[in-house]
């Protein structure tokens, strides 16, 4: 269904496609995504960066981690914590953090000098043999 929504930043009226049951707030959210004002474009860019960072977390700590030679970190709470850290960084609440997961694995999430969110996994493997 075609309807009208308003950008929540500049209040520009925008024709949008939305479900029949969409609320006024949902219509305005959709309109904001399509608005070309500076604040709306910044918000869209930030949302895209958050999604990319969440995908990187999944790559490094989820099922895809095994392709890189890492063990899967299956605890949903840990993934939720890392996703929340990404949200805090994207919203400029913190600059980064390091999470020690299991004595061997560390997750470092930070902002680069270029403003990109970095996801890093370090895994210490140590062998000691005595003869």
């Amino acid at each position: 269904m075609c309807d009208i929504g308003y950008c929540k930043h500049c209040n520009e009226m925008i024709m949008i496609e939305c479900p029949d049951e969409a609320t006024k707030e949902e219509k305005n959210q959709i309109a904001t995504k399509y608005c070309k004002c500076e604040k709306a474009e910044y918000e869209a860019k930030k949302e895209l960066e958050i999604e990319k960072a969440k995908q990187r977390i999944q790559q490094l700590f989820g099922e895809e981690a095994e392709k890189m030679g890492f063990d899967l970190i299956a605890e949903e709470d840990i993934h939720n914590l890392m996703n929340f850290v990404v949200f805090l960084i994207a919203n400029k609440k913190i600059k980064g953090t390091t999470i020690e997961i299991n004595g061997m694995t560390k997750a470092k999430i930070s902002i680069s000098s270029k403003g990109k969110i970095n996801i890093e996994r370090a895994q210490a493997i140590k062998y000691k043999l005595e003869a």
Side-chain angles (χ1 to χ4, degrees):
M1 172 182 129
C2 284
D3 207 339
I4 294 172
Y6 295 89
C7 174
K8 67 181 183 179
H9 301 293
C10 70
N11 211 30
E12 182 177 339
M13 181 176 65
I14 300 171
M15 184 66 79
I16 58 167
E17 288 278 332
C18 63
D20 290 338
E21 65 276 356
T23 65
K24 183 179 177 183
E25 186 177 311
E26 290 169 331
K27 291 174 188 177
N28 291 344
Q29 266 186 317
I30 295 168
T32 301
K33 286 183 180 183
Y34 290 104
C35 187
K36 297 296 179 200
C37 76
E38 190 175 318
K39 286 183 179 181
E41 285 184 341
Y42 172 79
E43 187 176 294
K45 181 182 170 191
K46 182 174 68 171
E47 289 298 318
L48 182 62
E49 185 144 356
I50 288 170
E51 279 308 307
K52 282 182 183 178
K54 286 179 178 181
Q55 289 172 356
R56 299 297 182 246
I57 288 169
Q58 198 54 36
Q59 281 180 300
L60 285 174
F61 299 92
E63 291 178 16
E64 292 182 49
E66 294 171 333
K67 293 177 187 173
M68 293 180 229
F70 293 121
D71 291 333
L72 165 72
I73 303 294
E75 291 84 3
E76 189 176 332
D77 290 342
I78 293 172
H79 288 262
N80 290 341
L81 174 62
M82 289 190 279
N83 288 335
F84 185 63
V85 168
V86 164
F87 174 81
L88 292 175
I89 290 171
N91 286 288
K92 300 183 181 185
K93 305 286 184 187
I94 63 173
K95 292 193 182 269
T97 192
T98 301
I99 303 166
E100 189 169 332
I101 297 173
N102 58 14
M104 287 186 357
T105 305
K106 289 184 181 181
K108 181 178 178 185
I109 306 171
S110 60
I111 190 96
S112 74
S113 59
K114 295 179 182 177
K116 299 287 185 183
I117 299 173
N118 290 327
I119 313 295
E120 182 179 328
R121 178 175 177 161
Q123 195 157 341
I125 299 174
K126 193 180 215 182
Y127 292 99
K128 181 178 180 178
L129 301 173
E130 191 170 280

